[in-house]
Amino acid sequence: MSALMNPTAPLTMSTREIAELLEKQHGNIKISAERLSDKGVIGTLALQEFTHNGNTYTEYLLNKRDSLILVAQNCPEFTARIVDRWQELEAMQQPKSPAELSRMDILHLAMESEQARIEAEQKLALAAPKVEFVDQFVRANGSKGFRAVCKLLNAKEPDFRLFLVEKKIMYRLGDEWMPYQQHIDAGRFEIKAGVAHVSEHAYNRALFTPKGVNWVAAEWAKHRVALVVAGKAVAA
C-alpha cells in the first residue's frame, strides 16, 4: 500500500497477500520465501510488521520477479492470478490513463502467463507416462525403499531427499529417515522393524507403499514443473 501512496517507491507485494491469492497458510509461504532467499533464488527479504485482531505479526515484501518465482515454486497453476494482481497494482501506480496503460501491458503480461502455462503443460505431459509406468510397476512389485524410488523416478538422491524434507514428507530421526504421521495414516508408508545381524541393533525402516510411490511420483513431477517455471534447470 505504501508504494501506491508514493508513486516513486518501489512496487512490492507482501507474502500475506500472496498467501491469500494462493489460498495457502501465510506461515508456509513465509517459510518458502525464506528458503528461496537462503538459496539465492530470490533477493533479500524486506521484513515489515502488521496488526491483525490486536496482535502484531510480520510479513515479507517481494518485488515482481521474486513474487512470481515464489508462486511458481508453490502453486504454478496460480501464475495467471498473480500476474493479474500485478497488473492491477501497476495500473494503480501509473500516472497514465487505464486505457493507455492496458493495451501494451495486458498483452505483454498475457503472453508471459500463457508461455508459463504452455511450458507447465508440456512438462506435465512428459511426466504423465512416467507416472503411469510407476503406477503399473508398484502394483506388481510392492513397497519400495528410498533408493529404489529414486531409481524408479530417475531422481538424484540428494535432490529427492531435499524435496522430501521441504515438502514435509519425511524427516531425520537419529540415523533413520521417517515419514510424517499424516503420510503413514494416508497409507503412503509402512514401517518395518528389524535387527542388524552384526550389532543386534534394533531399527525401523520406512518403505513407500505402492500407493505412496504412485503419490510421490505425481508430487515429484509437479515439483519439477515448478522448478522449470521458476527458471531452474531440471535433469531429464
Side-chain angles (χ1 to χ4, degrees):
M1 294 298 294
S2 60
L4 296 179
M5 291 185 289
N6 181 7
T8 63
L11 193 58
T12 59
M13 185 178 295
S14 71
T15 48
R16 183 162 47 119
E17 182 172 5
I18 292 172
E20 292 175 354
L21 290 171
L22 301 184
E23 301 174 2
K24 297 284 186 180
Q25 292 291 330
H26 181 219
N28 294 337
I29 295 300
K30 284 181 63 181
I31 291 173
S32 180
E34 291 167 352
R35 287 174 176 165
L36 290 173
S37 180
D38 289 342
K39 294 177 184 178
V41 179
I42 64 176
T44 303
L45 298 172
L47 185 69
Q48 78 168 13
E49 295 183 344
F50 69 93
T51 302
H52 179 67
N53 292 335
N55 297 317
T56 301
Y57 304 92
T58 60
E59 61 185 0
Y60 294 120
L61 300 178
L62 283 71
N63 60 26
K64 182 177 181 179
R65 172 189 175 275
D66 291 350
S67 66
L68 290 173
I69 292 175
L70 180 61
V71 171
Q73 178 74 14
N74 288 273
C75 295
E77 66 271 24
F78 285 154
T79 302
R81 183 178 295 184
I82 205 77
V83 168
D84 290 342
R85 179 54 182 156
W86 268 106
Q87 177 191 326
E88 294 174 1
L89 294 175
E90 290 170 341
M92 287 187 286
Q93 191 183 46
Q94 289 288 342
K96 298 181 291 183
S97 67
E100 184 181 0
L101 171 71
S102 63
R103 290 176 181 174
M104 292 303 297
D105 287 358
I106 290 178
L107 178 61
H108 179 67
L109 291 171
M111 289 177 64
E112 289 182 342
S113 177
E114 180 66 11
Q115 183 62 31
R117 184 189 64 80
I118 291 173
E119 290 178 358
E121 288 182 352
Q122 289 174 341
K123 289 295 178 179
L124 284 174
L126 290 173
K130 297 180 182 179
V131 174
E132 182 180 356
F133 163 75
V134 169
D135 187 29
Q136 296 173 354
F137 183 87
V138 298
R139 280 202 302 266
N141 292 273
S143 298
K144 296 293 174 186
F146 171 77
R147 289 186 174 176
V149 173
C150 286
K151 185 176 181 180
L152 186 61
L153 300 180
N154 194 27
K156 295 180 180 179
E157 290 187 15
D159 293 342
F160 191 59
R161 184 73 74 190
L162 180 62
F163 159 76
L164 294 175
V165 172
E166 290 185 341
K167 298 299 182 182
K168 294 191 179 300
I169 298 172
M170 300 189 76
Y171 64 96
R172 193 179 187 93
L173 180 63
D175 295 331
E176 301 167 351
W177 285 92
M178 300 298 293
Y180 284 89
Q181 187 62 43
Q182 66 264 32
H183 297 298
I184 298 176
D185 295 340
R188 296 165 184 156
F189 289 90
E190 61 176 343
I191 308 300
K192 295 289 187 180
V195 178
H197 293 295
V198 177
S199 63
E200 297 186 352
H201 172 70
Y203 64 88
N204 291 317
R205 185 186 182 201
L207 297 175
F208 290 84
T209 64
K211 178 181 179 180
V213 176
N214 190 50
W215 174 79
V216 83
E219 294 300 307
W220 177 248
K222 290 190 289 185
H223 173 70
R224 293 173 67 237
V225 170
L227 293 180
V228 170
V229 176
K232 291 185 177 181
V234 177

PDB file of all heavy atoms in Angstrom, residues 181-196:
ATOM      1  N   GLN A 181       3.512 -38.430  10.315  1.00  0.00           N
ATOM      2  CA  GLN A 181       2.426 -39.336  10.674  1.00  0.00           C
ATOM      3  C   GLN A 181       1.264 -39.275   9.686  1.00  0.00           C
ATOM      4  O   GLN A 181       0.631 -40.300   9.393  1.00  0.00           O
ATOM      5  CB  GLN A 181       1.920 -39.011  12.088  1.00  0.00           C
ATOM      6  CG  GLN A 181       0.903 -40.014  12.625  1.00  0.00           C
ATOM      7  CD  GLN A 181       1.474 -41.413  12.753  1.00  0.00           C
ATOM      8  OE1 GLN A 181       2.594 -41.588  13.214  1.00  0.00           O
ATOM      9  NE2 GLN A 181       0.712 -42.414  12.323  1.00  0.00           N
ATOM     10  N   GLN A 182       0.984 -38.073   9.150  1.00  0.00           N
ATOM     11  CA  GLN A 182      -0.170 -37.985   8.254  1.00  0.00           C
ATOM     12  C   GLN A 182       0.018 -38.815   6.991  1.00  0.00           C
ATOM     13  O   GLN A 182      -0.954 -39.307   6.410  1.00  0.00           O
ATOM     14  CB  GLN A 182      -0.460 -36.523   7.876  1.00  0.00           C
ATOM     15  CG  GLN A 182       0.615 -35.835   7.042  1.00  0.00           C
ATOM     16  CD  GLN A 182       1.549 -35.028   7.912  1.00  0.00           C
ATOM     17  OE1 GLN A 182       1.799 -35.385   9.056  1.00  0.00           O
ATOM     18  NE2 GLN A 182       2.050 -33.922   7.370  1.00  0.00           N
ATOM     19  N   HIS A 183       1.287 -39.013   6.579  1.00  0.00           N
ATOM     20  CA  HIS A 183       1.529 -39.821   5.387  1.00  0.00           C
ATOM     21  C   HIS A 183       1.448 -41.314   5.705  1.00  0.00           C
ATOM     22  O   HIS A 183       1.087 -42.115   4.831  1.00  0.00           O
ATOM     23  CB  HIS A 183       2.891 -39.467   4.791  1.00  0.00           C
ATOM     24  CG  HIS A 183       2.977 -38.050   4.316  1.00  0.00           C
ATOM     25  ND1 HIS A 183       2.182 -37.557   3.307  1.00  0.00           N
ATOM     26  CD2 HIS A 183       3.748 -37.008   4.729  1.00  0.00           C
ATOM     27  CE1 HIS A 183       2.463 -36.281   3.112  1.00  0.00           C
ATOM     28  NE2 HIS A 183       3.404 -35.925   3.963  1.00  0.00           N
ATOM     29  N   ILE A 184       1.776 -41.668   6.944  1.00  0.00           N
ATOM     30  CA  ILE A 184       1.569 -43.060   7.368  1.00  0.00           C
ATOM     31  C   ILE A 184       0.075 -43.343   7.438  1.00  0.00           C
ATOM     32  O   ILE A 184      -0.408 -44.379   6.949  1.00  0.00           O
ATOM     33  CB  ILE A 184       2.231 -43.308   8.738  1.00  0.00           C
ATOM     34  CG1 ILE A 184       3.747 -43.083   8.653  1.00  0.00           C
ATOM     35  CG2 ILE A 184       1.933 -44.730   9.219  1.00  0.00           C
ATOM     36  CD1 ILE A 184       4.452 -43.219   9.986  1.00  0.00           C
ATOM     37  N   ASP A 185      -0.675 -42.405   8.035  1.00  0.00           N
ATOM     38  CA  ASP A 185      -2.127 -42.576   8.158  1.00  0.00           C
ATOM     39  C   ASP A 185      -2.799 -42.652   6.786  1.00  0.00           C
ATOM     40  O   ASP A 185      -3.825 -43.324   6.628  1.00  0.00           O
ATOM     41  CB  ASP A 185      -2.728 -41.420   8.965  1.00  0.00           C
ATOM     42  CG  ASP A 185      -2.252 -41.403  10.411  1.00  0.00           C
ATOM     43  OD1 ASP A 185      -1.781 -42.451  10.890  1.00  0.00           O
ATOM     44  OD2 ASP A 185      -2.327 -40.330  11.046  1.00  0.00           O
ATOM     45  N   ALA A 186      -2.205 -41.966   5.804  1.00  0.00           N
ATOM     46  CA  ALA A 186      -2.776 -41.963   4.457  1.00  0.00           C
ATOM     47  C   ALA A 186      -2.408 -43.220   3.678  1.00  0.00           C
ATOM     48  O   ALA A 186      -2.837 -43.377   2.528  1.00  0.00           O
ATOM     49  CB  ALA A 186      -2.305 -40.730   3.689  1.00  0.00           C
ATOM     50  N   GLY A 187      -1.613 -44.105   4.284  1.00  0.00           N
ATOM     51  CA  GLY A 187      -1.266 -45.364   3.617  1.00  0.00           C
ATOM     52  C   GLY A 187      -0.132 -45.240   2.620  1.00  0.00           C
ATOM     53  O   GLY A 187       0.038 -46.122   1.771  1.00  0.00           O
ATOM     54  N   ARG A 188       0.669 -44.173   2.715  1.00  0.00           N
ATOM     55  CA  ARG A 188       1.756 -43.968   1.754  1.00  0.00           C
ATOM     56  C   ARG A 188       3.061 -44.605   2.208  1.00  0.00           C
ATOM     57  O   ARG A 188       3.990 -44.733   1.406  1.00  0.00           O
ATOM     58  CB  ARG A 188       1.965 -42.471   1.521  1.00  0.00           C
ATOM     59  CG  ARG A 188       0.758 -41.801   0.884  1.00  0.00           C
ATOM     60  CD  ARG A 188       0.806 -40.298   0.993  1.00  0.00           C
ATOM     61  NE  ARG A 188      -0.412 -39.688   0.451  1.00  0.00           N
ATOM     62  CZ  ARG A 188      -0.863 -38.495   0.787  1.00  0.00           C
ATOM     63  NH1 ARG A 188      -0.203 -37.764   1.671  1.00  0.00           N
ATOM     64  NH2 ARG A 188      -1.972 -38.019   0.250  1.00  0.00           N
ATOM     65  N   PHE A 189       3.150 -44.965   3.477  1.00  0.00           N
ATOM     66  CA  PHE A 189       4.348 -45.602   4.026  1.00  0.00           C
ATOM     67  C   PHE A 189       3.954 -46.768   4.924  1.00  0.00           C
ATOM     68  O   PHE A 189       2.858 -46.797   5.491  1.00  0.00           O
ATOM     69  CB  PHE A 189       5.164 -44.600   4.863  1.00  0.00           C
ATOM     70  CG  PHE A 189       5.857 -43.534   4.077  1.00  0.00           C
ATOM     71  CD1 PHE A 189       5.215 -42.336   3.805  1.00  0.00           C
ATOM     72  CD2 PHE A 189       7.155 -43.712   3.615  1.00  0.00           C
ATOM     73  CE1 PHE A 189       5.834 -41.333   3.087  1.00  0.00           C
ATOM     74  CE2 PHE A 189       7.793 -42.711   2.901  1.00  0.00           C
ATOM     75  CZ  PHE A 189       7.141 -41.524   2.635  1.00  0.00           C
ATOM     76  N   GLU A 190       4.877 -47.708   5.041  1.00  0.00           N
ATOM     77  CA  GLU A 190       4.792 -48.724   6.081  1.00  0.00           C
ATOM     78  C   GLU A 190       6.144 -48.796   6.780  1.00  0.00           C
ATOM     79  O   GLU A 190       7.189 -48.563   6.159  1.00  0.00           O
ATOM     80  CB  GLU A 190       4.405 -50.082   5.498  1.00  0.00           C
ATOM     81  CG  GLU A 190       5.383 -50.648   4.487  1.00  0.00           C
ATOM     82  CD  GLU A 190       4.968 -52.036   4.031  1.00  0.00           C
ATOM     83  OE1 GLU A 190       4.149 -52.661   4.721  1.00  0.00           O
ATOM     84  OE2 GLU A 190       5.470 -52.499   2.988  1.00  0.00           O
ATOM     85  N   ILE A 191       6.122 -49.047   8.066  1.00  0.00           N
ATOM     86  CA  ILE A 191       7.338 -49.094   8.872  1.00  0.00           C
ATOM     87  C   ILE A 191       7.667 -50.554   9.173  1.00  0.00           C
ATOM     88  O   ILE A 191       6.850 -51.276   9.751  1.00  0.00           O
ATOM     89  CB  ILE A 191       7.182 -48.312  10.187  1.00  0.00           C
ATOM     90  CG1 ILE A 191       6.664 -46.888   9.893  1.00  0.00           C
ATOM     91  CG2 ILE A 191       8.508 -48.257  10.928  1.00  0.00           C
ATOM     92  CD1 ILE A 191       7.563 -46.068   9.002  1.00  0.00           C
ATOM     93  N   LYS A 192       8.867 -50.972   8.774  1.00  0.00           N
ATOM     94  CA  LYS A 192       9.332 -52.321   9.011  1.00  0.00           C
ATOM     95  C   LYS A 192      10.370 -52.305  10.132  1.00  0.00           C
ATOM     96  O   LYS A 192      11.360 -51.567  10.057  1.00  0.00           O
ATOM     97  CB  LYS A 192       9.949 -52.909   7.743  1.00  0.00           C
ATOM     98  CG  LYS A 192       8.966 -53.109   6.598  1.00  0.00           C
ATOM     99  CD  LYS A 192       8.016 -54.260   6.895  1.00  0.00           C
ATOM    100  CE  LYS A 192       7.146 -54.571   5.670  1.00  0.00           C
ATOM    101  NZ  LYS A 192       6.216 -55.691   5.933  1.00  0.00           N
ATOM    102  N   ALA A 193      10.158 -53.090  11.159  1.00  0.00           N
ATOM    103  CA  ALA A 193      11.120 -53.206  12.253  1.00  0.00           C
ATOM    104  C   ALA A 193      12.070 -54.353  11.961  1.00  0.00           C
ATOM    105  O   ALA A 193      11.683 -55.376  11.376  1.00  0.00           O
ATOM    106  CB  ALA A 193      10.403 -53.441  13.578  1.00  0.00           C
ATOM    107  N   GLY A 194      13.340 -54.162  12.363  1.00  0.00           N
ATOM    108  CA  GLY A 194      14.328 -55.203  12.123  1.00  0.00           C
ATOM    109  C   GLY A 194      15.456 -55.112  13.137  1.00  0.00           C
ATOM    110  O   GLY A 194      15.518 -54.189  13.944  1.00  0.00           O
ATOM    111  N   VAL A 195      16.357 -56.085  13.063  1.00  0.00           N
ATOM    112  CA  VAL A 195      17.527 -56.135  13.950  1.00  0.00           C
ATOM    113  C   VAL A 195      18.748 -56.403  13.084  1.00  0.00           C
ATOM    114  O   VAL A 195      18.760 -57.354  12.291  1.00  0.00           O
ATOM    115  CB  VAL A 195      17.392 -57.226  15.025  1.00  0.00           C
ATOM    116  CG1 VAL A 195      18.657 -57.285  15.894  1.00  0.00           C
ATOM    117  CG2 VAL A 195      16.162 -56.985  15.886  1.00  0.00           C
ATOM    118  N   ALA A 196      19.801 -55.558  13.228  1.00  0.00           N
ATOM    119  CA  ALA A 196      21.034 -55.743  12.479  1.00  0.00           C
ATOM    120  C   ALA A 196      21.702 -57.040  12.924  1.00  0.00           C
ATOM    121  O   ALA A 196      21.814 -57.323  14.120  1.00  0.00           O
ATOM    122  CB  ALA A 196      21.967 -54.555  12.692  1.00  0.00           C
TER     123      ALA A 196
END
